[in-house]
Amino acid sequence: VRLLSYLRRSAVAVLLLVFLGWLLLPRLLQPWLPPPQLILVLGGDVDREEVAAQLAGRSGLPVLVSGGSNSAYARWLFNRYGVSANQLQLDYSARDTLGNFTTVVDRLRQRGIRHVLLVTSEDHLSRSMAVGQVVAGSRGIHLTGVPVSCTPSCEEEAWIKQAGDWVRAVAWVVTGRDLRDAAFPDPEAR
């Protein structure tokens, strides 16, 4: 009985330390982070692209739009805010939030990117950050969230969706495969 009680308390203590470490580690690493090196925009809303264009126009940072609006509109919008064609990269290979990260993270790492501004809607930011911190974090890339207002149409995402995508992200880091692909090998079945 004493051993079981000891093991239970030890397990709780370890989980608490892991959780606190997960919360505090980004703050501890902050002094060693380089300034932002790239703006990553998660597609799905032209307002996100407009906020990123404004940010890139002011900062001069390069922009990678993952799964955004059509290329002609995106190029026009970014050009409107003074973002040159050389600063802008459009990538349409992602089919969901996890793919927004898995399709680009290795290229970012190869380019030496270590700090990314992540632009997405405020109601999508917590899930995006959870997924992105796992995937990008596995490659040594830090994310700083830039929320885009979605008022009045904001809809908080269900915790089960957030948890499911986080589990998929962890599985991708461990196996290199998306659990959704393993469950539904035929893209038409998704």
Side-chain angles (χ1 to χ4, degrees):
V1 174
R2 282 186 176 178
L3 179 61
L4 187 59
S5 176
Y6 173 77
L7 290 174
R8 201 173 316 145
R9 281 187 304 222
S10 297
V12 168
V14 167
L15 287 173
L16 183 62
L17 286 173
V18 168
F19 180 71
L20 287 174
W22 180 74
L23 285 177
L24 295 175
L25 189 60
R27 287 183 179 82
L28 294 173
L29 294 177
Q30 200 73 29
W32 293 281
L33 278 177
Q37 299 164 288
L38 179 116
I39 300 167
L40 174 61
V41 188
L42 303 189
D45 188 301
V46 293
D47 290 341
R48 299 174 189 177
E49 292 179 27
E50 186 162 10
V51 167
Q54 292 170 358
L55 187 57
R58 287 191 310 266
S59 68
L61 289 172
V63 180
L64 172 56
V65 180
S66 178
S69 61
N70 73 66
S71 63
Y73 176 79
R75 289 182 201 291
W76 172 83
L77 177 66
F78 281 89
N79 185 56
R80 183 174 158 218
Y81 286 97
V83 178
S84 72
N86 293 338
Q87 274 180 272
L88 179 62
Q89 182 180 356
L90 305 174
D91 184 294
Y92 297 100
S93 53
R95 62 176 190 256
D96 61 12
T97 301
L98 178 62
N100 287 136
F101 295 102
T102 61
T103 59
V104 302
V105 72
D106 288 325
R107 283 184 278 152
L108 296 180
R109 181 179 179 192
Q110 288 171 353
R111 289 172 47 191
I113 302 292
R114 293 189 42 234
H115 188 182
V116 171
L117 296 178
L118 177 65
V119 178
T120 192
S121 302
E122 62 188 331
D123 59 352
H124 185 241
L125 189 62
S126 70
R127 180 166 60 97
S128 300
M129 287 294 289
V131 169
Q133 286 172 335
V134 171
V135 175
S138 75
R139 303 304 195 263
I141 300 170
H142 177 78
L143 301 175
T144 298
V146 178
V148 176
S149 177
C150 55
T151 307
S153 61
C154 292
E155 291 183 28
E156 187 160 337
E157 295 181 324
W159 72 268
I160 193 76
K161 182 172 184 151
Q162 293 182 25
D165 275 6
W166 185 84
V167 168
R168 286 176 56 214
V170 170
W172 183 86
V173 168
V174 171
T175 68
R177 294 190 61 209
D178 184 353
L179 288 177
R180 193 175 282 174
D181 293 338
F184 302 106
D186 178 16
E188 297 297 319
R190 290 188 200 119

